[in-house]
Amino acid sequence: MADRPQRRNRTPKHATVVRTERLTPHMIRVVLAVDPASALEIGAHTDHYVKLLFPPEGVTYPEPLDIEAIRRDLPSEQWPRTRTYTVRAWDEASRELTVDFVHHGDEGLAGPWAAAARPGESVHFMGPGGGYAPDPTADWHLLAGDESALPAIAAALEQLPPGAPAKVFVEVAGLDEEQKLPTAGEADIVWLHRGGGPIGAALVEAVTALDFPAGDVQVFVHGEAGFVKELRRHLRLDRAVPRERLSISGYWRRGADEDGWQASKREWNDEVEREQER
Ligand SMILES: Cc1cc2nc3c(=O)[nH]c(=O)nc-3n(C[C@H](O)[C@H](O)[C@H](O)COP(=O)(O)OP(=O)(O)OC[C@H]3O[C@@H](n4cnc5c(N)ncnc54)[C@H](O)[C@@H]3O)c2cc1C
């Protein structure tokens, strides 16, 4: 997630829910039809993401949505709340944008929204941003994440060049959360079942125990901020992976909603950087 959305990508776009599908007990696919007037530059990255906008209960905005006017004219409690989601797929011809939501319970905005979404429902979003795509010149790829990063990992696997070697670790709650992950790459995909264990513990164990193949590795590690922090330290310090070969960030943080996590993220990242320099 290196690039922030360009300024033009901060213009809200409008979309309508076309259909939804429960891929697994806790993963809901929502397919959106994006209005023809909204230009979307999607394709350069496999971790493209959009920021869905959720108005607070009882608040409506004039159309077309003008974020700058909202921020200028309304008190902050009435600003839309944003939730960040990977573009799992984008079909330019049909203008269908596919997003896979973890339904992590009744808490939050986006998870419950996806669970209740019905065809015809409206949603606004900003973006896309993005910053990673498999580099065809890498000797091998390491991809690791929890359910929240699974859409981006699946999209990356679809773009792996034929025969490209990849070690892939995906942590999910259990067997019924596994998905088919098509790829032309030579991918060794390991599903880790969390069961009742702490989020990310199995990922940290698996990646630290990995017998690293030789050569230039390109890394994509995302998910809950706690395990991401541990793996960042491990990959930078113990494995000496160069910073520019690492796409690694906390997608969410246990105990914080996205507003809280995004507000503390800079401080958190600075702290991680300081620890690594000690
Ligand atoms: C670049 C990027 C791409 C992302 N792509 C995806 C994606 O494709 N699919 C996806 O599902 N998520 C994705 N995420 C993560 C998603 O933005 C967060 O999980 C977000 O907090 C969910 O919003 P919410 O409204 O459902 O819950 P919030 O209101 O933000 O949080 C409510 C509570 O739920 C907890 N929580 C949040 N997410 C999870 C989770 N995954 N599992 C368990 N508990 C959770 C929080 O800690 C909090 O206690 C992405 C994040 C980033 C930064």
Side-chain angles (χ1 to χ4, degrees):
M1 191 187 154
D3 300 349
R4 297 196 165 274
Q6 309 271 317
R7 186 156 183 81
R8 65 181 172 282
N9 288 341
R10 292 205 206 120
T11 310
K13 282 106 185 162
H14 177 259
T16 310
V17 175
V18 181
R19 58 185 175 277
T20 67
E21 183 189 350
R22 212 168 256 272
L23 298 178
T24 66
H26 291 99
M27 188 69 91
I28 301 166
R29 173 158 292 173
V30 179
V31 179
L32 301 167
V34 181
D35 284 5
S38 304
L40 282 190
E41 288 169 28
I42 296 180
H45 307 295
T46 53
D47 70 341
H48 274 303
Y49 61 90
V50 292
K51 291 196 169 277
L52 299 170
L53 300 170
F54 294 98
E57 186 94 32
V59 176
T60 50
Y61 309 112
E63 292 283 346
L65 203 65
D66 181 341
I67 284 290
E68 273 161 29
I70 290 171
R71 295 205 168 128
R72 186 187 61 227
D73 301 336
L74 298 178
S76 56
E77 320 79 77
Q78 293 185 25
W79 296 355
R81 293 172 69 190
T82 59
R83 293 291 184 266
T84 311
Y85 281 84
T86 301
V87 173
R88 176 64 186 85
W90 165 241
D91 182 335
E92 183 80 52
S94 64
R95 300 192 59 80
E96 284 187 359
L97 182 84
T98 300
V99 181
D100 291 349
F101 294 76
V102 177
H103 187 214
H104 51 86
D106 297 335
E107 257 190 295
L109 295 173
W113 176 83
R118 294 290 170 265
E121 203 164 313
S122 268
V123 68
H124 288 89
F125 66 91
M126 292 193 293
Y132 163 90
D135 177 352
T137 70
D139 290 322
W140 66 284
H141 300 263
L142 173 62
L143 304 162
D146 63 15
E147 296 89 335
S148 69
L150 181 49
I153 290 174
L157 283 170
E158 282 174 6
Q159 294 293 316
L160 273 188
K167 301 277 182 196
V168 185
F169 299 96
V170 186
E171 187 188 290
V172 292
L175 184 65
D176 54 2
E177 293 297 332
E178 293 187 10
Q179 296 182 25
K180 286 209 163 47
L181 298 176
T183 181
E186 211 39 66
D188 178 9
I189 300 172
V190 178
W191 291 93
L192 301 163
H193 296 161
R194 182 181 306 122
I199 291 159
L203 277 169
V204 172
E205 196 181 321
V207 174
T208 50
L210 177 66
D211 193 4
F212 257 44
D216 166 40
V217 62
Q218 188 194 19
V219 176
F220 184 84
V221 175
H222 296 270
E224 202 280 323
F227 85 77
V228 166
K229 182 179 175 178
E230 279 189 57
L231 283 183
R232 178 145 63 174
R233 187 188 297 118
H234 170 69
L235 291 163
R236 289 280 296 128
L237 299 183
D238 304 336
R239 307 286 192 163
V241 177
R243 199 183 297 265
E244 62 280 7
R245 277 320 220 176
L246 275 178
S247 169
I248 189 159
S249 72
Y251 270 5
W252 64 283
R253 188 173 175 187
R254 201 153 46 96
D257 63 12
E258 184 167 332
D259 314 272
W261 166 229
Q262 292 296 342
S264 62
K265 203 168 177 177
R266 181 180 292 264
E267 208 177 298
W268 171 272
N269 282 333
D270 289 349
E271 189 190 309
V272 172
E273 294 286 321
R274 276 197 303 277
E275 275 178 21
Q276 285 173 5
E277 272 151 26
R278 259 180 227 148

